[in-house]
Structure formats: C-alpha cells, structure tokens
Amino acid sequence: MADPFAVTNQAPPLRGVNFFTRDAALGDALRPYADLADDPGLHRIGELAGSEEARAHALPANQNPPVLRTHDRYGNRIDEVEFHPSWHWLMQQAVGFGLQAAPWTSDRPAPHLTRAAGFYLWSQVEPGHGCPISMTYAAVPALRADERLAKEWIPQLASTQYDVRRLPVAEKHGALAGMGMTEKQGGSDVRANLTTATPVGDGEYQLNGHKWFCSAPQVDVFLVLAQAPDGLSCFVVPRVLADGNRNPFALQRLKDKLGNRSNASSEVEFHGTIGYRLGAEGAGVRTIIEMVAATRLDCVLGSAALQRRALVEAIWHTQHRSAFGGLLADKPAMQNVLADLAIESEAATALAMRLAAAVDSSDPKDAAFRRIALPLAKFWVCKRTPFMAAEALECLGGNGYVEESGLPLLYRESPLNSIWEGSGNVNALDVLRALRRPESLEAWLLELSAVQGADDRLDAAVNDVLQALAHIEGAEAGARRLAARMALCLQASLLIRHSTPAVADAFVASRLANDWGGVFGTLPRTTPFQQIVERTIG
C-alpha cells in the first residue's frame, strides 16, 4: 500500500550550485573586458551563494526585520538598530569579499568589473543587505572631493573587515557608509531641502532638520545634503565624533517597507549634528552626483541579479515538476516562457557588465558612454524586473506564492531599484539631459557601430531612434519610449557581439522587430527554446 503522506512530484532543493560557473551569460558578458573565468574570488562567491548555508540565512534575515532602540533602560538616547544574526552573517561575507569599496584601492586589473560580477552573484542570495554595501562603494568617489576627509575615511571603507562597534573611525577595523538626501516636502527634488547647515569654523557645520529617508542608519558615516549660507551643500556626518562622543542623530522610526525588509531605512532628525563640508558650498548636488552614479550602477547590477535568481528558480522547478503527462519544462508554451525569461536576464547582465567595465576605463569615450548608458540601463533593466519576477513566480504556481520558496522575497524586492536613486521618470529625463551633450549621442552610436549592418532589424531600430531625436526639444512626454528603445538597442548590440546567435536573434526578433507588448512567452515559434534554456544553468 502506498504511503498516503509520501511527497512526490516536488522539485528537490536547489543547493550545491556554483552561481558563477553555472552562469554562461555572465561569463560571456565578462569575457570581452577581462579574463575572469578562473578568478578565485568569483569562484568562492559563486560557490557560497549557491550553498545551503547561504539560503539558510536569506529568509531569516527578512523574516526578522531590524528593530529600533531609541533609548537604553536608563532613558539615555542611543538610537541604535538591532539586526538578526543572519543579517550580520550576510554582511560579513559581503565585506569579506570586498564588495563594498575594495576596488577603489585595488591595484589588480579590472577591479570594478570584478567587483560588479561579485555583487551580482552575492545579491542573488539576499538583496536587502546590498544597500549599505552599495552606498559604501558609492561614497568613495564623492569623498575624493576633499583630501583630508578622503584620507580619514576611504581606508576604513575599503577594509574587508566587518566591524559593527560604535567607535571613532580611527579606532575601527572597517567602516560602512550611508546617505541622507530626501526630505518630506521634496523627495527627488533635493533642491527643496530645508535642513540647514550653520558654519562653526574650519569646514565644520551644525546641521538642523530632518531626512525622510536615511538609508542604513546603523552605519558609521553619512553623506548628507543641507542648505548652507551659499546654497545646497554636501556634508560628511559621522555617527561617532573623534572624541568618542556620539553625534546627535535622532532616529524617529524605521520604515515599514514593501520589500527590502532585512535592511533598515529610517527617518532621522538632526539637532546640532556635526557635519564636515565636502566640496564647495552650493555645490552639493555636483559633489554627491558621483555617489548617485555609483549607486545607480548597483541598481542595475542588483536588478540583473534578481532577474537571474528568479530565472534559475523557474527553470529548476519546471525541470522537476510534472503536469499533464510530462515535465513542465518540456511543454512548448512553458519552453517559450523560460527562453523569454532567459534572454531578458542575459540582456540585463550584458548591459550591467558593460557599464561596470566602463568604470575601469580611463578613456573619455567610456566616460561619455557611462553618462548616457547609465540612466538608460537604470530606467530599463530596473523597470523590467518586476514583470520578470512575477512571471517566474507564476512558473512555480502555488509553490512560488509561499514564503519558503523565496519568490515572494524577490517579487517584493523587484520594484525597489526602479525607485531608488531616481524613479523611471527621473532617469528618462536624465537621458534627455545627457543627449543635449553631443558626445553622449556619439558614445551611444559608437557602441552600436560595432554591429552596424549585422542585423537589419537593429539598424531599423537605430534609425527609429535617430528620427525621434530630430524632435528632442519638447520631447519630455516621449522620454520613456525613447529611453526604452535606446536601451533595447544597446542590449541587442551586446548580445549580437558576445552571446550565442540563438539568444541574440530571439532578443532582436521579439524586442525590436515584433509587435511586442512585453508579455513573456511570445517569442517566435521558430526560436530554439530548448537550446536557450539549457544554456542558462548549464
């Protein structure tokens, strides 16, 4: 007699998979810029990311969100945030891998590309803890605006030791950074900020006001925007001052967010809080823009990571789940969906790594390319991720709708990167802004020139963009369509150059040459679905 409680027709746990070696798309995306196939650090990250140990920490970090402690038992203000041990485990690994700021002080070849690949791999484990890792990485180029502050902070930010002790920076083994930009009345319009900064001498100021979104309030130092006498300025605000006293930093509450629940986001008030001016008074946006650019890159990397993890979960489940007389992965309709998800993920990965490679470059042409391609990628890749997470979840059906699957975590996280560091409209308008500089359009066209004539459908899409640009004045209402089209052209060119013909053709046929509404599973029937899917997880 059969055991009525025996569990059958369920996918086995996905574990013991090296996320680096099994990701052919990542390998192809890296190869044109650096030989990283045997990089020991990426192998270690990939192995740990695909382990049962990493999975065992991902869900608890989200199921046990941080807790705010404003006062100690005696009534003293402490403004501390407590985290689950799994959060600290995740952070310790990320810092140990040097994903926060090590590339800025590295003398190895392609440090930013290598770090980007590592961040992409490790973000597939649990995306929330990537926030302080990303902001620490992004703080370094902004800090270089002041030699003294850079010397004080950058070595600690680049350290691979995770040190949570609340001490002056000179006494720590490592440090992490955050930022406070937005306020209640302004949001992305930071020039509407009301927080004031009063000079007290020698580059030191007292800050008074609030921040509606202060990211990662548990870290050691923040880059903060405030109104100085000569206008909006940028300030370095440490949690602990050099004399060991705590800087006034009143945490009002932690945000109860849709996703990103493992990470603490707060509202904070400044009452005579000490800050040190970074850059000139009135140049706050110009000073902090380097930080914004770096965090936007990590938005693209993080979204590509979410896409990849959702794709792997969908393929793994359907390859082990039977329905209607056979494996789900063998059904033609499901094969179309999986192949479509695969090319979406690969296109995101290819564009993300191309941007990271441009950070390593000293060529002015790559600087111009970053200026236009970064808002394009931030707009498009981040915007596509929620659709992909939802479709991957649907591949698992009811199994994907329960928390243990990990898919709800991915789904809740998926809109974040499209909002953080400028929502879709902000980035689409940044594309228009960049296009008003001739070198930006030239950089976009130069990137595409490598495949000019290789595919008539791509050539036609490029011509479509150029015709639209002839009417760029007053083009704000069409900014999103333009940004999407330009991003798709970039992705297509990268796949034609560096991926397999099957992937490139399927992408161009669906995204550029078809009446495509963005629904997954609508690739042409002649697409070699199985070939694309099998390539995805080796």
Side-chain angles (χ1 to χ4, degrees):
M1 177 178 172
D3 181 358
F5 299 106
V7 177
T8 61
N9 196 26
Q10 287 285 340
L14 174 60
R15 57 190 175 196
V17 176
N18 189 311
F19 281 9
F20 179 56
T21 59
R22 296 286 289 272
D23 193 340
L26 176 60
D28 286 350
L30 295 171
R31 193 171 299 112
Y33 318 111
D35 182 8
L36 298 175
D38 297 321
D39 184 87
L42 293 179
H43 277 267
R44 285 196 303 273
I45 296 172
E47 182 178 11
L48 186 58
S51 69
E52 180 65 21
E53 182 181 16
R55 183 180 282 266
H57 284 291
L59 284 177
N62 282 266
Q63 293 165 342
N64 299 275
V67 176
L68 174 61
R69 305 293 185 198
T70 56
H71 297 78
D72 68 13
R73 59 177 291 194
Y74 304 106
N76 298 305
R77 188 104 201 188
I78 57 173
D79 295 296
E80 291 291 353
V81 183
E82 294 179 0
F83 290 86
H84 189 268
S86 287
W87 164 274
H88 292 296
W89 184 88
L90 292 163
M91 288 293 296
Q92 185 174 15
Q93 309 311 314
V95 172
F97 290 135
L99 301 181
Q100 79 297 3
W104 299 108
T105 59
S106 174
D107 57 1
R108 62 168 294 167
H112 293 281
L113 179 64
T114 306
R115 180 262 175 191
F119 185 81
Y120 160 89
L121 291 168
W122 191 244
S123 293
Q124 294 175 47
V125 176
E126 195 286 318
H129 78 287
C131 176
I133 297 299
S134 176
M135 288 190 296
T136 303
Y137 172 72
V140 173
L143 283 166
R144 286 176 171 172
D146 186 290
E147 185 177 354
R148 181 181 62 82
L149 290 169
K151 185 177 180 180
E152 180 181 10
W153 284 101
I154 291 177
Q156 300 288 50
L157 297 177
S159 168
T160 55
Q161 295 189 59
Y162 178 54
D163 186 351
V164 298
R165 296 175 300 163
R166 189 67 72 205
L167 294 171
V169 64
E171 300 176 30
K172 296 201 67 174
H173 301 308
L176 296 170
M179 70 167 78
M181 294 176 63
T182 59
E183 298 184 4
K184 296 173 187 175
Q185 72 285 343
S188 295
D189 184 8
V190 294
R191 295 191 184 278
N193 283 2
L194 299 177
T195 297
T196 61
T198 304
V200 294
D202 195 27
E204 185 177 312
Y205 290 67
Q206 286 190 349
L207 276 58
N208 290 278
H210 80 281
K211 291 296 171 184
W212 178 242
F213 237 98
C214 179
S215 299
Q218 73 278 5
V219 301
D220 302 284
V221 64
F222 298 84
L223 267 60
V224 172
L225 291 178
Q227 297 287 357
D230 285 338
L232 189 66
S233 307
C234 184
F235 298 90
V236 173
V237 178
R239 284 297 304 270
V240 178
L241 301 174
D243 61 8
N245 289 317
R246 291 180 177 235
N247 208 1
F249 201 88
L251 298 178
Q252 300 305 101
R253 62 171 173 167
L254 299 185
K255 299 290 190 179
D256 186 8
K257 297 169 292 185
L258 167 68
N260 200 246
R261 299 189 69 83
S262 68
N263 177 48
S265 303
S266 68
E267 293 176 41
V268 61
E269 288 188 0
F270 301 134
H271 301 280
T273 304
I274 298 300
Y276 301 92
R277 193 184 71 241
L278 184 64
E281 275 198 15
V285 173
R286 189 166 68 248
T287 301
I288 209 170
I289 200 68
E290 286 292 332
M291 187 175 192
V292 173
T295 49
R296 281 185 174 180
L297 172 59
D298 276 7
C299 287
V300 179
L301 291 165
S303 289
L306 288 171
Q307 290 191 20
R308 171 68 185 178
R309 184 60 189 260
L311 168 66
V312 169
E313 294 289 346
I315 291 177
W316 182 260
H317 177 84
T318 57
Q319 286 180 338
H320 294 87
R321 177 81 164 179
S322 295
F324 309 110
L327 287 174
L328 285 174
D330 292 337
K331 305 297 183 183
M334 181 60 78
Q335 287 185 337
N336 196 326
V337 170
L338 295 175
D340 210 350
L341 292 173
I343 64 172
E344 185 78 31
S345 173
E346 181 158 355
T349 302
L351 184 51
M353 296 306 151
R354 172 66 184 94
L355 280 167
V359 178
D360 282 315
S361 173
S362 58
D363 189 334
K365 293 177 182 177
D366 273 321
F369 174 75
R370 288 200 310 272
R371 195 172 297 118
I372 183 67
L374 190 53
L376 285 172
K378 168 71 165 67
F379 172 80
W380 184 246
V381 173
C382 299
K383 190 67 66 183
R384 291 291 297 162
T385 303
F387 296 100
M388 184 158 178
E391 193 68 55
L393 191 156
E394 190 171 327
C395 291
L396 276 70
N399 284 309
Y401 211 70
V402 296
E403 289 292 337
E404 292 100 325
S405 72
L407 269 295
L409 189 161
L410 298 180
Y411 183 70
R412 288 192 298 269
E413 191 77 16
S414 62
L416 173 66
N417 287 324
S418 193
I419 298 169
W420 189 25
E421 300 309 335
S423 61
N425 282 347
V426 171
N427 278 273
L429 293 175
D430 279 351
V431 170
L432 293 184
R433 234 172 259 117
L435 286 170
R436 292 189 172 93
R437 303 173 67 165
E439 63 269 25
S440 296
L441 179 58
E442 291 170 8
W444 184 78
L445 289 170
L446 180 64
E447 188 75 12
L448 293 165
S449 68
V451 292
Q452 188 174 6
D455 193 302
D456 291 342
R457 299 164 297 184
L458 175 56
D459 290 344
V462 173
N463 287 332
D464 178 49
V465 169
L466 293 176
Q467 290 177 21
L469 289 176
H471 309 286
I472 192 170
E473 295 302 327
E476 184 172 324
R480 282 180 169 231
R481 184 187 187 280
L482 179 65
R485 199 69 170 167
M486 292 181 74
L488 285 168
C489 288
L490 278 180
Q491 289 181 316
S493 72
L494 290 166
L495 294 179
I496 290 171
R497 277 183 281 168
H498 308 311
S499 185
T500 65
V503 169
D505 183 71
F507 185 87
V508 174
S510 57
R511 271 64 171 175
L512 294 179
N514 224 359
D515 181 16
W516 180 62
V519 177
F520 288 104
T522 57
L523 296 176
R525 285 181 293 175
T526 55
T527 302
F529 305 125
Q530 192 64 26
Q531 180 183 339
I532 294 172
V533 173
E534 287 177 353
R535 159 186 167 78
T536 300
I537 58 172

